[in-house]
Amino acid sequence: SEDHGSLLLAEALLEECLKENFAKLKDSIPLSEKSEPKLSDAKHYLTNILSKGKLRPKYMTEAMLILGKLHYVEGCYRDAISMYAKAGIDDLSTKDEPLYVLRLITEAFVIKGLSLERSTNSIASRARLCEREEEVMACFERACVIAQVYLQELEKTLNNTHSRSIKGSNVTYSEFELSYFLEAALQSAYVSQLKKGNIVKGMRSLREILRTVETKATQTFKMVREWEMGGWGMLLHSLSEDCYWSPLSDPLPEFMNKEYQSYVSNLLCRRPELYSEENSVFLSWFLMPHLCCAQANRDAVISRAPEQQDDRAVSLQDASAVYDLLSITLGRRGQYVMLSECLERAMKFAFDEFHLWYQLALSMVACGKSAYAVSVLKECAKLRPTDPTIPLLAAKVCTGSLHWLEEGEHFAKMVIDLGEDAGESLAKGYLALGLTYSLQATDATLKSTQDELNKKALQTLERARDLAPEDHQIIFYLSLQLALVRQISDAIDHLQEALQLCKDDMNSLHLLALLFSAQKHYQHALDVINMAVVEYPESF
């Protein structure tokens, strides 16, 4: 009984040490006994238990599994592999075993795979290296399957316990928080396959995880992985759209040639429960955007209480990952209206979060909701008052589709007021202000007002040109303004300068033809038009 108590204490000490050093564990930084007394005590207890050998074989095996885990976090990968060989993990059964044993076996297989991966440098033979890679994949695949069985059985157990407990019970779902090794068990198989270029195997492995009946522990994991994989996210990382295949079809032959049989298909007597194929395809292609966003919104921590700051940061990070992939996916399909609607629902937990606000603004600009976009850009400007690109975009929207010239002037002056802090955008700020003055002059009814605004537009555009003498677009607009006030010769001189910087700019060629025509140089105008039509045959 004393040794059994030492076994439980050793595991508790090890788990506390891992929890305290999660960041190091994630970055694969080995832990030292000298700096971690809990690790040292756990190792002392486990070595004493194994040297005495008084426990029943079942508990001796558990001690070996825990010690193998300890060797791994110390960076002693060969010792970890050796300890798992002594425990005989390849022959351990998962049938009718208690939950904690399933967890230990899951961790053992994933740690063995990770240890083998980190021990390949000493292998000289190519054939032996291939055998080692196959052994690694076998460990990862078995770990993945057993992990899913464990999490499903754990949820069933806690649900039954909760349903039988009295009102006010303290049964919670804190047990469902995925540990580092359990999450590694779920994703190491498909990550390793994709890194090695085994696209078919990697995609099938991940699709299998997504089809598994989910638990509370895997909801956040699956929410992000669904977008990495399910609709188009995987295409963005590994495949072109022409190479993609749906879950019910076969991949291209060139991919099939690299396919090989699963190592564990006939080895495991227990496999996780899966959703049906029909349900999986419908989920993958139609409901996934809405489900992912709904789950991100549901799990968001809205409270601004100081004690919930860490939880709020984690939920925001998860939600941002989903919405980033959503933006890429729907943007590529031109579904900007749907994207803006999804992002609008994210605003409830996006207080002071610039990234989500700016994503919303861009989606509204793209789908034509210009007035809403300007309102959102105003909020973005408050969050980042020193970023000149935000008022520049707002000025462009105002002077373009909305024709809100006073608001456009206001946003352009915001950029200019930043001075040297605006950097290269300062010239663009003067350009935006000059265009605003020019448009206001066009709308003015009094000749004196028109002349005054045209003069201000010309001065502002010349200032922009002084700041960016190599910007052909600024020179083009300066030339256009000169043309509007009938200074045709000066306009042609500036336009030729713009064409020297960018010889095939369509707008500059168009304006040059108009200016030649205004001076009655019709042959020159026709030559420019013929040259431009050859360069841009699709331009009406």
Side-chain angles (χ1 to χ4, degrees):
S1 61
E2 182 182 345
D3 283 353
H4 191 263
S6 297
L7 175 63
L8 297 175
L9 182 57
E11 185 175 16
L13 288 169
L14 177 60
E15 292 302 321
E16 281 189 357
C17 179
L18 296 182
K19 195 169 184 178
E20 292 168 2
N21 294 276
F22 181 79
K24 289 185 178 179
L25 187 63
K26 195 173 181 181
D27 294 333
S28 300
I29 300 175
L31 303 182
S32 168
E33 288 185 61
K34 294 180 180 178
S35 58
E36 300 296 337
K38 291 180 181 178
L39 188 71
S40 177
D41 291 345
K43 189 173 185 179
H44 174 73
Y45 285 128
L46 291 169
T47 51
N48 276 351
I49 290 169
L50 293 175
S51 62
K52 291 179 183 178
K54 293 182 179 180
L55 287 178
R56 290 166 50 190
K58 173 185 177 181
Y59 298 122
M60 291 294 286
T61 300
E62 291 178 16
M64 292 179 192
L65 296 181
I66 297 169
L67 186 55
K69 182 177 177 179
L70 190 149
H71 284 319
Y72 174 82
V73 299
E74 282 185 313
C76 303
Y77 304 126
R78 290 187 178 181
D79 291 343
I81 296 169
S82 175
M83 190 56 61
Y84 288 137
K86 290 179 183 177
I89 64 170
D90 293 330
D91 300 321
L92 293 179
S93 171
T94 57
K95 189 175 182 180
D96 299 327
E97 290 291 344
L99 285 173
Y100 79 94
V101 173
L102 291 180
R103 177 179 58 79
L104 285 175
I105 295 175
T106 298
E107 292 177 341
F109 275 113
V110 75
I111 290 171
K112 181 182 176 183
L114 293 171
S115 299
L116 289 169
E117 267 193 334
R118 288 162 170 75
S119 305
T120 53
N121 294 335
S122 60
I123 300 176
S125 166
R126 185 173 180 82
R128 182 71 187 96
L129 186 61
C130 290
E131 290 177 8
R132 174 62 62 87
E133 288 179 354
E134 290 182 1
E135 190 177 1
V136 169
M137 288 311 308
C139 290
F140 286 157
E141 290 185 359
R142 294 186 72 170
C144 182
V145 173
I146 301 170
Q148 292 173 80
V149 172
Y150 162 72
L151 291 170
Q152 288 179 352
E153 293 300 319
L154 178 62
E155 180 158 280
K156 289 176 186 176
T157 301
L158 289 180
N159 281 337
N160 291 337
T161 305
H162 187 71
S163 63
R164 290 195 301 268
S165 62
I166 59 173
K167 187 176 181 180
S169 161
N170 289 326
V171 176
T172 67
Y173 288 105
S174 61
E175 295 89 345
F176 278 95
E177 185 177 348
L178 281 179
S179 67
Y180 170 79
F181 289 113
L182 283 175
E183 184 160 346
L186 289 173
Q187 65 183 16
S188 290
Y190 74 80
V191 167
S192 294
Q193 294 285 13
L194 294 175
K195 281 183 178 179
K196 289 181 172 64
N198 299 327
I199 303 297
V200 174
K201 189 63 184 173
M203 290 185 71
R204 283 182 173 171
S205 177
L206 183 49
R207 278 174 173 161
E208 193 79 1
I209 295 174
L210 298 182
R211 282 190 59 220
T212 303
V213 176
E214 73 177 5
T215 64
K216 290 186 182 297
T218 57
Q219 280 180 348
T220 302
F221 174 86
K222 289 176 72 173
M223 177 179 70
V224 178
R225 270 60 187 185
E226 278 170 0
W227 270 112
E228 287 180 351
M229 166 66 187
W232 294 95
M234 194 63 215
L235 294 176
L236 302 174
H237 295 292
S238 303
L239 297 173
S240 69
E241 295 183 22
D242 294 334
C243 298
Y244 183 76
W245 69 95
S246 70
L248 293 183
S249 63
D250 292 327
L252 296 176
E254 53 263 36
F255 289 130
M256 287 297 291
N257 293 336
K258 299 179 181 179
E259 180 73 350
Y260 52 87
Q261 293 298 315
S262 171
Y263 306 113
V264 299
S265 56
N266 299 319
L267 297 176
L268 297 173
C269 54
R270 296 184 70 181
R271 302 190 70 86
E273 301 172 27
L274 305 177
Y275 291 119
S276 67
E277 289 284 356
E278 295 79 4
N279 199 15
S280 175
V281 176
F282 180 66
L283 185 73
S284 178
W285 292 104
F286 184 74
L287 292 179
M288 195 183 305
H290 303 287
L291 287 175
C292 286
C293 293
Q295 188 163 332
N297 293 343
R298 183 198 65 191
D299 295 340
V301 178
I302 302 175
S303 171
R304 308 297 296 179
E307 61 270 16
Q308 291 192 310
Q309 182 177 354
D310 292 341
D311 293 336
R312 188 168 63 249
V314 170
S315 70
L316 178 66
Q317 184 178 1
D318 292 338
S320 294
V322 171
Y323 282 109
D324 284 348
L325 289 165
L326 183 73
S327 299
I328 296 170
T329 305
L330 294 182
R332 288 185 62 174
R333 315 311 298 173
Q335 298 294 328
Y336 298 112
V337 174
M338 183 187 295
L339 176 60
S340 66
E341 291 171 352
C342 290
L343 286 167
E344 274 188 279
R345 289 193 285 272
M347 290 299 103
K348 70 176 185 179
F349 56 84
F351 179 74
D352 279 354
E353 296 299 336
F354 170 80
H355 182 65
L356 287 174
W357 277 94
Y358 198 50
Q359 292 274 58
L360 176 62
L362 293 175
S363 68
M364 286 185 164
V365 171
C367 71
K369 298 179 181 178
S370 302
Y372 290 110
V374 172
S375 297
V376 178
L377 285 169
K378 287 180 181 178
E379 295 300 318
C380 293
K382 292 177 184 176
L383 295 174
R384 285 199 182 171
T386 60
D387 188 341
T389 60
I390 301 166
L392 267 181
L393 178 58
K396 180 179 179 180
V397 175
C398 288
T399 55
S401 56
L402 293 175
H403 205 68
W404 291 357
L405 301 183
E406 290 184 2
E407 287 82 352
E409 179 183 351
H410 168 72
F411 284 118
K413 286 180 177 178
M414 285 176 62
V415 181
I416 294 171
D417 289 342
L418 291 173
E420 293 183 356
D421 291 338
E424 295 179 355
S425 297
L426 183 58
K428 294 292 186 182
Y430 277 105
L431 172 62
L433 184 59
L435 292 176
T436 304
Y437 286 148
S438 181
L439 291 170
Q440 287 175 343
T442 304
D443 290 349
T445 53
L446 294 175
K447 180 71 167 60
S448 59
T449 306
Q450 288 179 353
D451 292 342
E452 182 184 354
L453 289 169
N454 278 323
K455 183 180 179 181
K456 290 169 70 175
L458 203 54
Q459 291 172 344
T460 308
L461 290 169
E462 286 174 345
R463 175 62 177 148
R465 187 213 171 193
D466 292 340
L467 289 170
E470 302 295 320
D471 191 323
H472 72 91
Q473 187 182 41
I474 291 177
I475 301 173
F476 162 76
Y477 281 113
L478 174 58
S479 176
L480 176 60
Q481 183 59 30
L482 288 166
L484 290 173
V485 296
R486 300 298 185 267
Q487 298 181 29
I488 305 299
S489 298
D490 290 341
I492 290 177
D493 292 342
H494 284 89
L495 197 55
Q496 288 176 338
E497 185 182 343
L499 284 167
Q500 286 178 351
L501 294 170
C502 185
K503 294 180 173 59
D504 58 350
D505 180 59
M506 184 174 69
N507 292 323
S508 297
L509 292 171
H510 189 179
L511 179 58
L512 184 60
L514 292 172
L515 294 175
F516 278 144
S517 177
Q519 287 191 322
K520 303 189 187 312
H521 299 320
Y522 299 122
Q523 188 57 50
H524 289 317
L526 194 58
D527 291 342
V528 172
I529 291 170
N530 287 331
M531 181 175 62
V533 167
V534 171
E535 191 72 28
Y536 300 99
E538 76 289 348
S539 174
F540 173 74

